Amino acid sequence: MIKVAMSSDNHFDINRVDVAKMMQKQAEYLWANQVDYYLIAGDLFNDFEKSVAYVKNLSQLLAGLVQVRFIAGNHDMLRGISFQELETLQQPNYLHHQFEDVVGTNWRLIGNNGWYDYSLSNQNVSSTDFARWKNAYWVDQTIVQPGSDRDRLELVLQQVESQLKQAKKDHKNVLFMTHFVPKKNFIIDSPDQRMWNMSNAMMGSVKMGELLEKYEVAYVLFGHLHIHPAPLKSNQTSYYNQSVGYHNKHSNEWLEPDFFAQWKRRLGMLLLE
């Protein structure tokens, strides 16, 4: 039996965390709980190089006793990485457009950073208007990509379907990790906050959830959303969001008084048999 711990949206820099001290505490907690895999669904830092450094250092602390795997969230993409590098990087901990079979089980881990296509927003505006709003107000305005957001999402779906087809051919159970929201069930609309409702367009895509359920993926870990939703089962697929979220002078999304307590509270655990 394999124990998998799941987290996302640690936002170490935004949350002003002493990373070295916190990494040690996280490692000790993962050891103590006999975790085999620690999965991180993006948004460690606002800089991909710092995110990679954290994962490498945590892996070294864990000395191979816990396997650490991550994918990039939109915040990780803000600095230190290009679109092409995100797509082609070969780094042992980075699971984007990669898979890993869990030794001694019939389980396969599949990762994809994901993206969005505006389909999670109920705002009755055109894709051009969504793109214009994003470029004016959303943090992702600095991320350079070769096509539109919908083009990028279509590439993601092609990558994911290719991996899922192969997993089905190989008769594997799948735990899928992505950053962006795959189901509209998790989205909250506000009747009097247009900014909030417009931002829902950048949360993810309904197409991702449809694809995952088409291939009867067992477990899905995603991030991006900081509202701490409960797990959701839809058809044969169970969805988990384990985001830590923000705690700073502008916003407090934590349910606990300090980062480590919040991280522990939000840490998800699965047993793969």
Side-chain angles (χ1 to χ4, degrees):
M1 189 174 294
I2 300 296
K3 181 180 281 190
V4 178
M6 305 180 295
S7 185
S8 77
D9 296 78
N10 284 201
H11 291 290
F12 289 116
D13 43 4
I14 293 174
N15 289 323
R16 299 183 181 277
V17 176
D18 185 322
V19 178
K21 289 182 180 179
M22 188 53 59
M23 191 186 306
Q24 183 66 46
K25 294 176 75 171
Q26 289 175 322
E28 291 171 358
Y29 187 84
L30 295 169
W31 276 327
N33 284 274
Q34 299 180 308
V35 169
D36 297 294
Y37 276 87
Y38 178 40
L39 304 182
I40 309 167
D43 279 6
L44 288 165
F45 292 88
N46 283 9
D47 186 323
F48 190 82
E49 292 179 355
K50 291 181 179 179
S51 298
V52 171
Y54 163 83
V55 171
K56 285 182 177 179
N57 291 335
L58 180 61
S59 296
Q60 289 174 358
L61 271 179
L62 292 166
L65 299 176
V66 181
Q67 302 301 314
V68 183
R69 301 291 181 266
F70 84 109
I71 46 92
N74 58 316
H75 279 257
D76 303 294
M77 300 175 191
L78 294 176
R79 298 185 190 90
I81 194 77
S82 69
F83 174 84
Q84 185 64 25
E85 289 166 337
L86 280 168
E87 291 300 310
T88 59
L89 178 67
Q90 297 293 310
Q91 199 276 340
N93 307 100
Y94 181 54
L95 205 58
H96 171 64
H97 197 29
Q98 303 290 331
F99 73 86
E100 180 172 339
D101 289 336
V102 180
V103 176
T105 76
N106 197 41
W107 285 91
R108 176 169 292 179
L109 308 177
I110 297 176
N112 195 289
N113 298 336
W115 203 245
Y116 45 80
D117 62 357
Y118 315 144
S119 60
L120 295 184
S121 176
N122 286 330
Q123 293 294 292
N124 187 24
V125 300
S126 69
S127 59
T128 300
D129 288 334
F130 278 127
R132 187 179 295 118
W133 186 92
K134 168 191 166 178
N135 290 328
Y137 299 108
W138 196 242
V139 64
D140 297 355
Q141 63 185 263
T142 62
I143 297 174
V144 178
Q145 59 191 31
S148 69
D149 291 320
R150 287 180 170 174
D151 291 339
R152 186 168 185 171
L153 190 275
E154 285 304 314
L155 172 63
V156 165
L157 295 175
Q158 291 169 18
Q159 292 172 338
V160 173
E161 184 157 30
S162 173
Q163 295 276 19
L164 295 180
K165 281 182 178 178
Q166 188 61 50
K168 187 172 184 178
K169 181 179 178 181
D170 295 340
H171 305 288
K172 294 291 185 179
N173 301 318
V174 172
L175 192 168
F176 178 75
M177 175 169 63
T178 190
H179 181 67
F180 295 89
V181 183
K183 294 282 287 184
K184 203 163 191 175
N185 308 60
F186 293 103
I187 298 300
I188 297 173
D189 280 310
S190 174
D192 57 354
Q193 294 190 43
R194 185 174 185 271
M195 292 289 282
W196 175 283
N197 295 336
M198 288 293 285
S199 71
N200 284 338
M202 273 56 75
M203 288 295 104
S205 172
V206 296
K207 291 182 180 179
M208 179 62 82
E210 291 169 354
L211 180 62
L212 297 172
E213 292 178 30
K214 173 184 174 182
Y215 285 90
E216 299 182 331
V217 170
Y219 299 126
V220 177
L221 168 63
F222 69 97
H224 202 35
L225 204 62
H226 296 180
I227 61 173
H228 314 312
L232 169 72
K233 186 165 186 178
S234 177
N235 295 314
Q236 301 301 311
T237 304
S238 295
Y239 297 87
Y240 297 87
N241 173 283
Q242 310 299 152
S243 298
V244 172
Y246 298 147
H247 179 85
N248 55 41
K249 64 181 181 180
H250 302 294
S251 177
N252 180 15
E253 299 166 334
W254 292 0
L255 306 172
E256 298 291 343
D258 62 80
F259 180 90
F260 187 55
Q262 174 71 1
W263 176 79
K264 287 191 296 181
R265 178 166 178 167
R266 295 294 302 142
L267 194 68
M269 295 284 189
L270 288 175
L271 293 176
L272 305 182
E273 300 183 20

